[in-house]
Amino acid sequence: MLDYDEEAERYDASRGGEPRAAAAAAAVLGLVPPRTRGLLDVACGTGIVTRRLAAGRDGLRVTGVDLAPAMVRRAAARLPGAVIRADSRRLPFGDEQFDAVCSVWLLHLVDSDADVRAIVAECARVLRPGGVYVTTVDKAAAHNVGSDIDAVLASRPPRAARDAAPLVESYALAHGLAPAGQARFDGHGQGRSPRRTVADLRRGWFVTLPPGDPLAEPFAARLQALPDQDRP
């Protein structure tokens, strides 16, 4: 697992920046009813999406929470007074406080099914009756575009897809939520070159191939043998 305090400085630039944030925010707002007045962004990271949510609709009050201190500092600079450091499994809010809750690019990072269930339960708990919870699902599957890099990495040790849509839906149903809509958006700036993939591999991006794992270097060698080393 990456250290998101260390990732904070380069997080936005390495993950599509403003174009990707704009696409994500538009997708979230498209699923949030017009009557919504209070929205909680769980695991808001640097606040790059959170700020767009707040600016995207008049009268919408947006609060962000994240656990990593460096992420919170960056988000708080974007939304002064609206960001709190908190664990998404134990949100520091009373029941039924928000009209909408979102968690963008969170559930795929969680280490256990129990923690995913806890996050979904907390998001449901702080929703007012009739509120909407919006989350991203199937993140890993979305990254596989059939490239030569994907072919090399296809045989790496698998990691459970804890954000698989049917699983997340089952957890939501258990807490009184029901499917209400869906949206898709492009992951701008997500192309990765062979050379960058090797660098990411060696710094622990791929959680089933941690730095120093004896399997990691054979994958690195196969990636280094690909053509067009700097082409995303």
Side-chain angles (χ1 to χ4, degrees):
M1 179 67 69
L2 295 176
D3 183 327
Y4 280 87
D5 276 322
E6 293 183 1
E7 285 289 299
E9 184 174 350
R10 60 187 167 192
Y11 185 89
D12 294 343
S14 66
R15 290 164 175 81
E18 295 291 351
R20 183 179 184 233
V28 171
L29 289 173
L31 295 170
V32 171
R35 67 181 182 278
T36 300
R37 290 295 173 263
L39 183 150
L40 176 66
D41 186 10
V42 176
C44 66
T46 66
I48 192 170
V49 175
T50 322
R51 177 176 62 184
R52 288 183 171 273
L53 293 172
R57 187 177 296 176
D58 291 340
L60 181 63
R61 300 184 307 278
V62 178
T63 303
V65 298
D66 201 276
L67 186 58
M71 292 288 197
V72 170
R73 286 193 294 273
R74 287 182 174 270
R78 285 175 160 144
L79 293 102
V83 179
I84 299 169
R85 183 169 181 254
D87 189 326
S88 56
R89 298 166 298 181
R90 293 180 292 276
L91 294 172
F93 306 104
D95 296 351
E96 301 180 3
Q97 294 292 303
F98 297 93
D99 300 312
V101 178
C102 68
S103 57
V104 179
W105 304 312
L106 168 62
L107 301 183
H108 69 289
L109 298 172
V110 179
D111 288 330
S112 72
D113 290 335
D115 282 345
V116 177
R117 287 195 294 269
I119 292 167
V120 173
E122 281 291 272
C123 291
R125 179 184 66 79
V126 301
L127 272 179
R128 294 191 177 105
V132 173
Y133 172 45
V134 181
T135 190
T136 48
V137 296
D138 297 322
K139 178 70 158 51
H143 270 287
N144 190 337
V145 296
S147 70
D148 51 1
I149 295 173
D150 290 328
V152 168
L153 295 174
S155 60
R156 74 184 187 275
R159 182 176 191 266
R162 305 198 190 283
D163 68 333
L167 279 178
V168 175
E169 184 175 321
S170 71
Y171 303 152
L173 287 167
H175 292 281
L177 302 180
Q182 62 181 350
R184 294 177 181 268
F185 59 92
D186 291 334
H188 297 279
Q190 296 300 284
R192 181 187 280 116
S193 69
R195 197 183 311 279
R196 179 183 158 191
T197 305
V198 171
D200 286 343
L201 174 67
R202 287 174 171 161
R203 70 187 183 92
W205 182 287
F206 302 100
V207 294
T208 61
L209 292 170
D213 188 297
L215 292 176
E217 282 309 306
F219 278 99
R222 291 173 61 193
L223 290 164
Q224 288 170 329
L226 293 176
D228 302 318
Q229 280 288 300
D230 293 309
R231 179 183 177 188

